[in-house]
């Protein structure tokens, strides 16, 4: 089945509400000129297409979380336990944190579906570069978005599979994963990412304003600069050293200087509430709204209502009930009790991020049975919970801790940035002499201190696995159940169907071919 560009445009221009494609071989036929007869004729059509790009970006939230977090030490069942405390089967998700992935159980298939939107981004770039309808300012803004988002997708591919197919021309069919084209080397992919970041920044120039229409739900100059910092810190920890760390530091301090109004919110929990979108801490977030879209991944993180009501909340000294605790999920990825216990009881992020559940007899003590993600509470609508929380991609706490990381590589003190995050985390419990950097025991190793702070701050935001990978392989081996003898598993396997459809692709080194 062939799908021409006109059909693609029609779908994505209406915000890509529903989208599916038949499996097929991808050819590289030229884009039909017939598409120009029905699209790219008005500024509204360009605007609608950009809206569609962000809608499709939202659809990849599950892949972002799985690739960025599921292989870390956060999730799973604690030693001695054979099932989640709610009795749900993990349905193969456990293969990610147990590091038992293979081509038949790859965790994420079809490269996360990212090439679908990369193809649309390529089409937008192609049209903008020849457009005469849109104003020069709009053209530059949209090109800044396009190159930045494409770099973001390729950074996901790079960190997950190393090699990736670099595709810059729009193709005439949708299923780009089937492109009969070999993958470029990891070094080539990294060079491409950095080049796209430069193109994004060149087009944005010094425009740090957020979208007047969609605010922080649209990619921005600040998002590109956050991505730049992540990318250059990745290479700084490898071969780039202080030069790349300096580049990362400049990108972050430029955001601080030019994106006015960004700051930590006083209350950690307020960052994530459904009613507090586009708040001063958010830099870029995936937008969800009632009757439009909800968090795509949340069902794996929260329990089935009928099962959680058998347990207790020890902090509130109550049994869970159907009305208040109507989570409505199927808990496939429970938070480890060990993860919950990494928080100090003085840390206000603890109860805002994770919900602990306890068993209790009428006369006996509370005994912890398990834990699950609490960060995204959604809103109550018609006696049901709707998970309309935005999903943060970048926020100011991330900026501060990345800046702290850059400073450590440069031999500078990270105290200012770490302590801003800790002071907010502990609130009235904060005592700089005991909790401030460098006064905690973990602060003797600043890299460990930053990793711990990022763990406690960003659970459920798709960052932990990437954080460990960025800092270096030894941190992965120390924090997860992956060993140096399994170093090839730092990358993900390519699923069998994708390999079958594209015979020019090679399996990630170390994994079985068939």
């Amino acid at each position: 089945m062939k799908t021409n560009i006109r059909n693609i445009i029609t779908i994505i221009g209406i915000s890509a509400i529903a989208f599916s494609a038949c499996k097929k071989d991808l050819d590289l036929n030229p884009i039909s000129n017939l598409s120009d007869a029905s699209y790219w004729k008005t500024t509204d059509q360009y605007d609608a297409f950009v809206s569609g790009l962000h809608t499709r970006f939202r659809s990849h939230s599950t892949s972002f979380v799985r690739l960025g977090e599921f292989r870390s030490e956060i999730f799973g069942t604690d030693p001695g336990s054979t099932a989640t405390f709610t009795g749900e089967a993990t349905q193969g998700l456990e293969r990610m944190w147990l590091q038992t992935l293979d081509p038949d159980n790859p965790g994420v298939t079809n490269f996360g579906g990212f090439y679908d939107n990369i193809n649309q981004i390529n089409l937008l770039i192609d049209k903008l570069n020849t457009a005469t309808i849109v104003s020069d300012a709009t053209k530059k803004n949209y090109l800044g978005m396009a190159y930045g988002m494409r770099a973001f997708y390729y950074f996901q591919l790079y960190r997950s599979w190393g090699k990736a197919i670099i595709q810059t021309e729009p193709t005439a069919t949708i299923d780009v994963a089937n492109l009969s084209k070999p993958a470029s080397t990891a070094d080539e992919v990294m060079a491409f990412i950095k080049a796209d970041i430069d193109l994004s920044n060149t087009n944005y120039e010094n425009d740090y304003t957020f979208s007047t229409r969609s605010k922080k739900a649209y990619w921005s100059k600040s998002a590109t600069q956050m991505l730049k910092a992540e990318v250059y810190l990745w290479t700084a920890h490898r071969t780039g050293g202080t030069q790349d760390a300096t580049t990362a530091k400049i990108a972050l301090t430029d955001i601080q200087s030019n994106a006015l109004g960004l700051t930590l919110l006083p209350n950690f929990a307020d960052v994530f509430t459904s009613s507090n979108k586009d708040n001063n801490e958010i830099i870029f977030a995936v937008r969800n709204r009632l009757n439009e879209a909800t968090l795509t991944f949340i069902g794996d993180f929260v329990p089935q209502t009928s099962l959680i009501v058998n347990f207790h909340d020890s902090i509130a000294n109550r049994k869970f009930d159907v009305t208040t605790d109507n989570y409505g999920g199927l808990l496939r990825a429970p938070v480890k009790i060990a993860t919950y216990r990494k928080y100090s009881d003085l840390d206000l992020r603890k109860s805002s991020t994770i919900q602990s559940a306890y068993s209790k007899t009428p006369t006996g003590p509370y005994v912890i049975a398990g834990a699950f993600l609490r960060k995204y509470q959604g809103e109550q609508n018609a006696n049901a919970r709707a998970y309309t929380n935005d999903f943060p991609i970048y926020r100011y706490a991330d900026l501060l801790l990345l800046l702290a990381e850059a400073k450590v590589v440069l031999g500078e003190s990270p105290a200012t940035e770490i302590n801003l995050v800790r002071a907010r985390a502990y609130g009235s419990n904060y005592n700089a002499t005991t909790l401030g950097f460098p006064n905690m025991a973990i602060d003797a190793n600043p890299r460990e201190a930053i990793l711990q702070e990022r763990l406690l701050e960003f659970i459920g935001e798709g960052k932990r696995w990437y954080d460990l990978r960025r800092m270096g392989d030894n941190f992965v081996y120390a924090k997860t159940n992956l060993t140096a003898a399994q170093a090839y598993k730092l990358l993900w396997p390519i699923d069998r169907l994708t390999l079958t459809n594209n015979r020019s692709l090679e399996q990630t080194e170390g994994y079985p071919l068939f």
Side-chain angles (χ1 to χ4, degrees):
M1 172 180 136
K2 294 280 185 77
T3 305
N4 65 31
I5 286 296
R6 181 167 56 184
N7 291 337
I8 297 174
I9 294 169
T10 300
I11 295 169
I12 201 165
I14 308 174
S15 299
I17 294 171
F19 197 90
S20 62
C22 299
K23 287 292 178 184
K24 53 197 169 293
D25 293 328
L26 181 73
D27 58 36
L28 290 176
N29 294 333
I31 297 172
S32 170
N33 288 331
L34 292 175
S35 62
D36 292 335
S38 59
Y39 213 84
W40 309 112
K41 296 302 183 183
T42 68
T43 56
D44 286 345
Q45 289 173 329
Y46 279 88
D47 294 344
F49 197 89
V50 169
S51 177
L53 291 180
H54 287 86
T55 298
R56 290 193 62 76
F57 189 95
R58 176 174 63 196
S59 73
H60 294 140
S61 299
T62 296
S63 292
F64 296 152
V65 169
R66 290 187 179 184
L67 291 170
E69 193 161 16
F70 267 42
R71 295 185 66 188
S72 72
E73 78 278 34
I74 294 172
F75 304 105
T77 52
D78 291 273
S81 177
T82 57
T84 68
F85 70 94
T86 55
E88 300 287 355
T90 50
Q91 293 291 306
L93 295 185
E94 80 285 351
R95 285 181 170 273
M96 286 181 270
W97 56 76
L98 293 178
Q99 317 297 344
T100 58
L101 299 173
D102 60 42
D104 292 310
N105 304 277
V108 174
T109 61
N110 195 28
F111 299 112
F114 299 154
Y115 281 105
D116 289 344
N117 216 19
I118 288 172
N119 192 43
Q120 307 306 317
I121 291 169
N122 290 339
L123 180 59
L124 178 63
I125 292 170
D126 179 73
K127 293 300 180 182
L128 285 169
N129 281 330
T130 58
T132 58
I133 297 171
V134 297
S135 68
D136 187 61
T138 298
K139 181 185 296 188
K140 286 181 176 294
N141 182 259
Y142 283 172
L143 283 171
M145 286 183 186
Y147 287 119
M149 291 174 73
R150 189 169 72 179
F152 181 88
Y153 276 121
Y154 272 100
F155 194 40
Q156 298 275 336
L157 294 168
Y158 170 88
R159 290 181 292 183
S160 301
W161 290 276
K163 298 178 181 180
I165 299 170
I166 294 177
Q167 183 67 21
T168 59
E169 297 297 324
T171 60
T173 48
I174 297 171
D175 198 352
V176 185
N178 292 345
L179 180 64
S180 292
K181 183 178 179 180
S184 296
T185 66
D187 287 344
E188 290 169 335
V189 176
M190 176 55 76
F192 179 73
I193 292 165
K194 290 182 174 180
D196 261 6
I197 289 171
D198 289 342
L199 286 169
S200 177
N201 275 324
T202 297
N203 279 283
Y204 275 125
E205 296 177 338
N206 201 42
D207 182 6
Y208 274 89
T209 59
F210 295 101
S211 169
T212 55
R213 182 175 64 175
S214 297
K215 298 183 181 179
K216 295 175 179 180
Y218 266 25
W219 192 272
S220 65
K221 167 85 170 183
S222 293
T224 293
Q225 291 288 70
M226 288 293 295
L227 174 62
K228 183 174 184 176
E230 274 197 297
V231 168
Y232 278 86
L233 278 173
W234 185 283
T235 54
H237 286 297
R238 288 159 175 78
T239 59
T242 56
Q243 181 176 346
D244 284 3
T246 299
T247 299
K249 179 182 177 182
I250 291 171
L252 296 166
T253 54
D254 279 354
I255 298 172
Q256 288 180 314
S257 298
N258 295 291
L260 302 180
L262 291 177
T263 187
L264 294 178
L265 295 192
N267 181 19
F268 175 79
D270 289 345
V271 178
F272 310 99
T273 58
S274 297
S275 59
N276 199 23
K277 300 178 186 299
D278 300 313
N279 62 68
N280 288 341
E281 186 159 339
I282 297 298
I283 295 174
F284 174 55
V286 170
R287 176 59 43 79
N288 295 295
R289 288 191 188 279
L290 191 64
N291 300 321
E292 179 185 326
T294 56
L295 286 174
T296 58
F297 55 78
I298 195 65
D300 292 331
F301 289 105
V302 295
Q304 190 176 148
T305 303
S306 61
L307 294 178
I308 194 62
V309 295
N310 297 312
F311 298 92
H312 292 74
D313 180 348
S314 69
I315 297 175
N317 193 29
R318 70 180 186 92
K319 192 173 184 179
F320 293 114
D321 66 80
V322 172
T323 302
T324 306
D325 305 293
N326 54 343
Y327 290 102
L330 292 171
L331 187 58
R332 311 294 192 194
V335 175
K336 286 183 178 178
I337 296 171
T339 301
Y340 178 68
R341 287 176 171 161
K342 288 181 180 179
Y343 288 88
S344 163
D345 287 339
L346 299 177
D347 190 335
L348 303 178
R349 294 172 298 191
K350 184 175 188 176
S351 59
S352 295
T353 301
I354 302 172
Q355 175 68 65
S356 55
Y358 291 76
S359 298
K360 186 181 186 298
T361 61
T363 57
Y366 286 111
V367 177
I368 192 166
F372 58 91
L373 187 68
R374 191 179 187 274
K375 181 171 279 185
Y376 307 110
Q377 288 289 292
E379 60 184 289
Q380 296 293 336
N381 179 56
N383 298 319
R385 190 185 297 266
Y387 291 96
T388 53
N389 312 82
D390 285 356
F391 174 54
I393 301 295
Y394 293 123
R395 55 187 178 90
Y396 195 69
D398 198 3
L399 183 153
L400 290 173
L401 292 174
L402 288 175
L403 183 53
E405 190 175 324
K407 286 185 173 183
V408 168
V409 177
L410 294 170
E412 302 172 12
S413 171
T416 297
E417 290 74 27
I418 291 177
N419 288 339
L420 283 170
V421 174
R422 285 184 183 171
R424 194 266 296 273
Y426 286 91
S428 61
N429 298 323
Y430 184 67
N431 182 335
T433 61
T434 56
L435 298 174
F437 186 93
N439 301 319
M440 295 179 71
I442 198 169
D443 296 339
N445 185 332
R447 284 177 168 81
E448 289 283 5
I450 291 169
L451 278 175
Q452 175 171 282
E453 215 57 55
R454 289 186 65 85
L455 169 66
L456 303 177
E457 184 76 20
F458 297 118
I459 286 176
E461 297 180 51
K463 295 188 182 292
R464 179 60 172 179
W465 174 255
Y466 286 153
D467 286 346
L468 296 174
R469 292 273 285 114
R470 184 179 64 255
M471 284 278 199
D473 298 349
N474 288 339
F475 288 99
V476 178
Y477 305 142
K479 308 292 184 185
T480 75
N481 56 4
L482 193 64
T483 66
Q486 303 169 304
Y488 72 94
K489 291 187 177 183
L490 291 168
L491 298 174
W492 295 63
I494 300 174
D495 62 283
R496 194 178 303 281
L497 181 60
T498 297
L499 286 172
T500 300
N501 288 336
N502 182 356
R503 293 308 178 94
S504 296
L505 276 179
E506 296 180 356
Q507 179 60 270
T508 307
E509 186 175 352
Y511 289 99
L513 295 177
F514 294 102

